[in-house]
Amino acid sequence: MILIALALAAGQPAESPQHFIGRIYAGYRQRDYNPLDRLDRLFAPELAAAIRTDRRLAKVEVGYLDGDPLCDCQDYQRISARVQSLSRPTARSASARVHVTLGPREANDVRLSLVLTRAGWRIADVGSADSPSLLRALRKANRAAAAR
């Protein structure tokens, strides 16, 4: 019986990229939701490590990451998100453009690059109008902070 359950679980399809993105942004319905408190559940290992390094190097100061990269914002009243486009996912990657509404008068567009890990889909990089690659920006800022 246990072997059958394990075999069935192993054959279950992975969550779709669209569903993963929807689940991420649904979290904003909770008061005090912060995706940066869920690094390993939302971000690919390389991006999660860069975020941790940014925090460590900043010590008590604010590091490079001074806001929420998934809404490209610092403060918001209420977030809602809509996937505007989703690339045809390959077996291991996908990308999406997400329109994030922050309140009655403000909205941002973010680009999410996703990778499929053993744990499921994770965010490998985030892009916005101001920063085409969060991962590259964090690496650069981390190198500069480590050199000080």
Side-chain angles (χ1 to χ4, degrees):
M1 198 74 154
I2 292 174
L3 291 175
I4 294 171
L6 288 173
L8 289 173
Q12 294 296 318
E15 175 181 45
S16 73
Q18 179 103 20
H19 187 262
F20 173 69
I21 294 167
R23 192 167 45 80
I24 290 170
Y25 286 99
Y28 286 98
R29 293 184 202 132
Q30 302 169 19
R31 184 176 296 273
D32 298 324
Y33 177 75
N34 182 354
L36 299 175
D37 291 340
R38 296 159 172 78
L39 289 179
D40 295 321
R41 287 186 271 165
L42 300 181
F43 298 95
E46 195 172 4
L47 183 54
I51 293 169
R52 283 187 182 96
T53 300
D54 178 57
R55 289 177 176 171
R56 180 179 51 79
L57 292 171
K59 299 177 183 150
V60 296
E61 304 285 322
V62 174
Y64 173 83
L65 198 53
D66 184 23
D68 182 337
L70 300 186
C71 63
D72 192 24
C73 65
Q74 288 184 332
D75 300 311
Y76 55 87
Q77 293 176 11
R78 183 176 168 189
I79 287 182
S80 63
R82 179 174 40 88
V83 175
Q84 288 185 315
S85 65
L86 179 66
S87 70
R88 173 177 253 159
T90 67
R92 309 256 332 132
S93 66
S95 61
R97 200 172 87 224
V98 181
H99 183 74
V100 181
T101 304
L102 303 170
R105 294 183 184 93
E106 189 177 354
N108 293 322
D109 290 325
V110 295
R111 290 175 311 283
L112 302 178
S113 298
L114 307 177
V115 293
L116 186 59
T117 69
R118 286 183 173 171
W121 290 101
R122 296 295 184 264
I123 300 167
D125 204 359
V126 180
S128 67
D130 295 330
S131 175
S133 171
L134 175 61
L135 182 58
R136 278 195 308 266
L138 280 168
R139 285 177 177 159
K140 182 178 178 181
N142 289 344
R143 281 191 305 272
R148 284 186 232 142

